[in-house]
Amino acid sequence: GGGGGGFEAIDEPTVHLLAADKHGVSPEECTDLARHIIESCDHLRLVGLMTIGQIGRVLEPGTQNPDFLELVRCRTLVSEELRLPAASLELSMGMSSDFEHAIDLGSTNVRVGSTIFGQREYPAKPSA
């Protein structure tokens, strides 16, 4: 069903394949996980892949974010190996500091919370 304001309600649970350092899978495992979700998880619908790029990555002008390029490559692999239209797999990448670059590379979902709500304050970690 649709909601107001240009947002759509999600009628089914969704899973995005995450970067390995954020408790997801490595790029080498993305096709196997996608296949498992499609073939074995009747109550899930694979809608796309997600990465959180390396925090604080500084790119030289004119260069592309390698984390985003890797996610685009993963979508191509999943699409080809599972015979899915690439356009049917959303890409979730990009945050407040790099969302424009992510969109240029095909991101369909960006996270811009700190632009809207301000920077997060993290509690200090206790010293070991």
Side-chain angles (χ1 to χ4, degrees):
F7 295 96
E8 294 246 352
I10 297 176
D11 297 327
E12 300 177 39
T14 59
V15 174
H16 283 75
L17 307 183
L18 301 171
D21 63 341
K22 295 294 181 183
H23 308 290
V25 297
S26 69
E28 295 76 28
E29 299 169 300
C30 67
T31 301
D32 289 338
L33 179 57
R35 180 180 290 110
H36 176 77
I37 291 167
I38 291 168
E39 294 176 358
S40 303
C41 300
D42 295 338
H43 297 287
L44 295 177
R45 179 176 53 98
L46 179 71
V47 296
L49 293 85
M50 174 183 176
T51 190
I52 298 174
Q54 178 182 330
I55 303 296
R57 181 185 296 277
V58 177
L59 297 174
E60 296 295 322
T63 61
Q64 296 180 322
N65 186 318
D67 302 319
F68 298 168
L69 293 174
E70 185 66 17
L71 192 67
V72 171
R73 187 185 74 80
C74 286
R75 178 177 63 179
T76 300
L77 289 174
V78 169
S79 169
E80 289 174 356
E81 290 186 34
L82 302 183
R83 301 187 196 292
L84 301 170
S88 72
L89 296 171
E90 296 179 12
L91 292 178
S92 179
M93 57 188 184
M95 295 173 40
S96 293
S97 63
D98 57 8
F99 72 92
E100 292 167 326
H101 176 61
I103 291 170
D104 287 344
L105 291 176
S107 184
T108 53
N109 297 281
V110 295
R111 296 166 303 281
V112 293
S114 61
T115 297
I116 298 168
F117 301 110
Q119 291 293 93
R120 288 189 208 176
E121 294 188 26
Y122 296 97
K125 292 183 180 180
S127 44

